[in-house]
Amino acid sequence: MRAGNLLRQLDQRLLPPLTRAVARLGDRSARFGVLSWAAVLSAAAVLGTAVWAVDDAPVGDRTVGEVTRVGVVDGDSVPAYLRSAAADLAALPASAPAAEGTTYALVTLDAYLPPQRLATVLGDVGVSTVFGRVPLPGRQTEIVKIPAMRVPDDVVAGMRQVAARKETEAADYRARAAAVDGDGEGERELREQYTSGAEVAAAEAAGYRAGCACVYAAVVRATPVALRGVATRPDVRAVDPAPEVYRLDRTVFTPPLPEQRDVARPPADSGLSPTPTRSEPPAPLISAPAPSPTVGESSEPAPAVTTPSPEPSEPEPTESTPPSVTTSPDATVAEPPSPSPSS
């Protein structure tokens, strides 16, 4: 009931009896006392109705704008992170909302694994997302997020979608390399960068198409006992519980790469140009969504898209940035410099 309707009903019920009482009273002093009490009662009714209306107002989502981060960022000590994750896992029953409840956790693997190996490592816990990267020696490759409720089936399907996108990307790089005219230094560098980008994208496509050993982390949800069991398995590097996470779409997971042993930093890329002449911002490529996870989550799942990679049509050498829901420090593909005037 709205506050205005309640006040009207109070007027209809209180005012007629008060009017009749005042009419029967001929004495002015008595009439003044009745009117005083009527004013007090009316003010109390208005105040109570206002308080009720405020308390009855719907409460908005207090988590809007809040982002929870789980994992490491550039410059973090990886050994310190691993120790902290182990300590948090050991203390989980005391810090979890309920000892028998489930909690989200970031599982980091000790090496890149193929999809079929994940069933042994993660098969008995609810999986939400896996993180993958083709580990090409000496090259930075894109980090992708693949929603995966069923392991390994959803992971394989997600890899095929990424492979199709990478094949398109490689073809675009090759076409642009062929379109570069001139034999000047700038033109040669640009052509080499496009060719290098095509080689990396083609290698990524071939790896994902074959179901490569590319998965290095996963977001899971399980009880503290089950999470401790996962942490003892041979291929698991760390289990970082996150009882503070309630919504995956407002959480950024940044697991360390298997080769990051001391400090979190992007791998060196021997194909990057050391002195690019000019750069322009690239437009991201968004892949088709993979199957959305429904692993008994109490909130909306994370967006079902892979991490976008730079489009080769607009070259840009980018600095490495920390991995996030849509980007990662290793998502940088070699970008060509813009051509300088032909000599």
Short mmCIF file of all heavy atoms in Angstrom, two decimals, residues 46 82 86 100 108 126 153 181 200 241 252 323 339:
data_model
loop_
_atom_site.label_atom_id
_atom_site.label_comp_id
_atom_site.label_asym_id
_atom_site.label_seq_id
_atom_site.Cartn_x
_atom_site.Cartn_y
_atom_site.Cartn_z
N VAL A 46 1.19 10.53 10.70
CA VAL A 46 1.98 10.94 9.53
C VAL A 46 3.43 10.47 9.67
O VAL A 46 4.03 9.94 8.73
CB VAL A 46 1.91 12.46 9.34
CG1 VAL A 46 2.90 12.91 8.28
CG2 VAL A 46 0.50 12.89 8.96
N LEU A 82 51.65 -17.80 -3.91
CA LEU A 82 51.39 -19.22 -3.66
C LEU A 82 51.30 -19.50 -2.16
O LEU A 82 50.45 -20.28 -1.72
CB LEU A 82 52.48 -20.07 -4.30
CG LEU A 82 52.63 -19.95 -5.83
CD1 LEU A 82 53.77 -20.83 -6.32
CD2 LEU A 82 51.33 -20.32 -6.53
N ALA A 86 47.90 -20.85 -0.14
CA ALA A 86 47.92 -22.04 0.71
C ALA A 86 47.41 -21.71 2.11
O ALA A 86 46.66 -22.49 2.72
CB ALA A 86 49.33 -22.62 0.77
N GLU A 100 30.07 -26.10 5.80
CA GLU A 100 29.58 -27.09 4.85
C GLU A 100 29.22 -26.47 3.50
O GLU A 100 28.79 -27.16 2.60
CB GLU A 100 28.36 -27.80 5.43
CG GLU A 100 28.65 -28.58 6.72
CD GLU A 100 29.69 -29.68 6.51
OE1 GLU A 100 29.69 -30.28 5.42
OE2 GLU A 100 30.49 -29.90 7.42
N THR A 108 45.28 -22.94 -10.06
CA THR A 108 46.40 -22.70 -10.97
C THR A 108 47.16 -24.00 -11.17
O THR A 108 47.50 -24.69 -10.20
CB THR A 108 47.34 -21.62 -10.40
OG1 THR A 108 46.59 -20.42 -10.17
CG2 THR A 108 48.47 -21.34 -11.36
N GLY A 126 32.80 -28.48 -9.30
CA GLY A 126 32.09 -27.68 -10.30
C GLY A 126 33.02 -26.68 -10.96
O GLY A 126 33.65 -25.86 -10.30
N ASP A 153 34.40 -31.66 -22.54
CA ASP A 153 33.65 -31.37 -23.76
C ASP A 153 33.55 -29.88 -24.06
O ASP A 153 33.78 -29.45 -25.20
CB ASP A 153 32.25 -31.98 -23.65
CG ASP A 153 32.27 -33.50 -23.59
OD1 ASP A 153 33.33 -34.07 -23.92
OD2 ASP A 153 31.26 -34.11 -23.20
N ASP A 181 52.95 -1.97 -50.25
CA ASP A 181 53.76 -1.66 -51.44
C ASP A 181 55.04 -0.94 -51.02
O ASP A 181 55.08 -0.26 -50.00
CB ASP A 181 52.98 -0.78 -52.41
CG ASP A 181 51.78 -1.51 -53.00
OD1 ASP A 181 51.89 -2.74 -53.19
OD2 ASP A 181 50.74 -0.86 -53.26
N VAL A 200 52.00 -16.37 -36.07
CA VAL A 200 51.58 -16.63 -34.69
C VAL A 200 50.10 -17.04 -34.66
O VAL A 200 49.72 -18.02 -34.00
CB VAL A 200 51.82 -15.40 -33.81
CG1 VAL A 200 51.19 -15.58 -32.44
CG2 VAL A 200 53.31 -15.14 -33.66
N PRO A 241 41.32 -19.92 -2.61
CA PRO A 241 39.89 -19.78 -2.34
C PRO A 241 39.47 -18.33 -2.31
O PRO A 241 40.24 -17.46 -1.89
CB PRO A 241 39.72 -20.44 -0.96
CG PRO A 241 41.05 -20.28 -0.31
CD PRO A 241 42.07 -20.34 -1.42
N VAL A 252 37.51 -10.41 -11.28
CA VAL A 252 38.60 -10.53 -12.24
C VAL A 252 39.58 -11.58 -11.70
O VAL A 252 40.15 -11.39 -10.62
CB VAL A 252 39.31 -9.19 -12.46
CG1 VAL A 252 40.49 -9.35 -13.41
CG2 VAL A 252 38.34 -8.15 -13.00
N PRO A 323 46.18 -9.59 -16.77
CA PRO A 323 45.03 -10.29 -17.29
C PRO A 323 43.78 -9.90 -16.55
O PRO A 323 43.81 -9.56 -15.38
CB PRO A 323 45.38 -11.76 -17.05
CG PRO A 323 46.43 -11.75 -16.01
CD PRO A 323 47.14 -10.44 -16.12
N PRO A 339 53.87 2.44 -41.50
CA PRO A 339 54.99 2.70 -42.42
C PRO A 339 55.50 4.11 -42.34
O PRO A 339 54.76 5.06 -42.13
CB PRO A 339 54.35 2.42 -43.79
CG PRO A 339 52.88 2.63 -43.57
CD PRO A 339 52.61 2.21 -42.17
#
